[in-house]
Amino acid sequence: MASKKGAQAALIVRQLGTGYPGNRHALSNVSFTIQAGERVAVIGANGAGKSTLIKAIVGMLQFNSGSISIFGKDCYSSHSLVGYVPQQNDIDWSFPVSVYDVVMMGRVRHIGWFRLPRRADHTAVRDTLAHLRLAHLAKRQISELSGGQRRRVFIARALAQESRVLLLDEPFSGVDQQAEGEIIEALDIMSRRGITILMSTHHLENAALRFDKILILNQGEIAAFGAAEEVLVPQTLRRAFGGSMTLLSDDLLMLARQRERSA
Amino acid sequence: MDMVAFLAEPLQYNFIQRGMLALILVGGINAVVGCFVMVRSMAFFGDALAHSILPGIALSYTASGGNIGSSLFFGGLGAGVFSAMVIAWLTRKQEIKEDSAIAIVFVTMFALGIAIISTQSSYAIDLTHILFGSINGISQQDLLIMAVMGAIVLVLIGLFYKEFLIISFDLSLAQSLKLPAEGLRLLLLILVAVTIVVSLQAVGIALMLALLITPVATARLLVKRLHHMLFLSSLLGIVSGIVGFYASYYLDIPSGACIVLVLSALFGLVFMMQSALNRLAERN
């Protein structure tokens, strides 16, 4: 993992409280800062508020309290700064669009209202597809792709969008090991470009090994935030996941130490 | 009768020429708008909206002293746009599910329309025209309104195509890009409403849904990208309009029923061909 981490804050979340119809207080009093170029994994049990946090940063939810700023701009006005890879189930994969069309969607703000894509936009889409080794799939309808390829297409869309923060909601769910490797490779490409990454996951091994920091959510609040070796401790894991998780904590600590040695 | 005479015979009358042009227009425009209705799974909305315009039509009809013509257009348009806006407003925070909101608005408006029409003495005949269309009664002015409104719909879809594509495919992208997703959704609903009202005289309320959905479903079997679907389905809509027109003339069947049957036949043909090809491919 080679990332260009700057001193500039990419994402500042201050005392955020938000939710949605049915659960108005899915998140409360959430505060953290992510520096430019950092990779942060959000972990927590089902219903802890991982997806809600990501949707709030995208600007999809109204806040009860607090604020989110992305490179100094309010999250409601910072268009094109945030690229988002939604959960697999949030997309209608039978929709009549090709891989090329999906990546071109990322260019819409660059193209502007009432305009057709220009040569520069087509070049950007082709370059992005080549960069993520998706050029051979450009004409495929998205339903023909595997789970891993679908995630990479959405990562490519964020790259074509020229976003500076990439948010991913459970990108590893339902994909095989090979696809997992391909997604990680795509994330490494984003990191090399200095893009800040925030990803929700249940995949603790990937979180411990491949991310700079881990944010643990528990019932809508932050249980811990910091480097893997600091936060993946039995006490925190027990608080966030319940008793059964402590059985895993030794393995996770080992992973964290392994990561520390390899860094 | 030779082919030229067969094709030319109905066209010697001006009112029949207007009817044919109306069917071509309606077939093409509905197919374009129908692409978005289909990919957004709004078939129920399309059908409901076609019924929701009834009170507007009924009020204009009563006000115009029982004329079925362009005066109905504006009444229908008002009721259609009103219904679309009420549905959009009810569902804006997802507190009420879209299909429930559509059902409530649809039956209320349709019942209101029936109540207004029933105050007229020629209730049954008029309702038949509104439900099944009245192609022979299309005036020069009606045709002009259809053409102008149809052109406005097509131009707006062209101008906002990429934004409509995004809000239909992935609302979260629209939100992350800060596109005015709600405004665009409302505009799309209004365009569906305008299309339905434009088509009212040609096919009537009851069969409207077929014009929006069937050519698009046929095109979807054949192509895989939305803009290809737009072109192919509008071509199918226009061809069905022409064939339906001749069938209506020679078989003396209402034009709305004819165009719908042609559309369904084309769908059936393509569906069976696709199935046969798939079976063949599996065998090899």
Side-chain angles (χ1 to χ4, degrees), chain B residues 182-194:
Chain B
E182 265 309 299
L184 288 164
R185 184 174 83 110
L186 183 62
L187 177 61
L188 198 53
L189 296 186
I190 290 172
L191 293 180
V192 176
V194 172

Side-chain angles (χ1 to χ4, degrees), chain A residues 160-202:
Chain A
Q161 188 185 323
E162 296 174 24
S163 59
R164 297 175 69 187
V165 176
L166 176 64
L167 305 169
L168 303 99
D169 200 352
E170 304 276 5
F172 301 122
S173 72
V175 300
D176 60 21
Q177 211 164 3
Q178 191 197 336
E180 211 178 284
E182 288 168 356
I183 294 168
I184 288 166
E185 188 194 334
L187 293 181
D188 289 344
I189 290 171
M190 299 298 267
S191 286
R192 280 198 289 276
R193 298 221 172 170
I195 292 165
T196 310
I197 298 173
L198 181 78
M199 177 189 88
S200 77
T201 184
H202 283 290

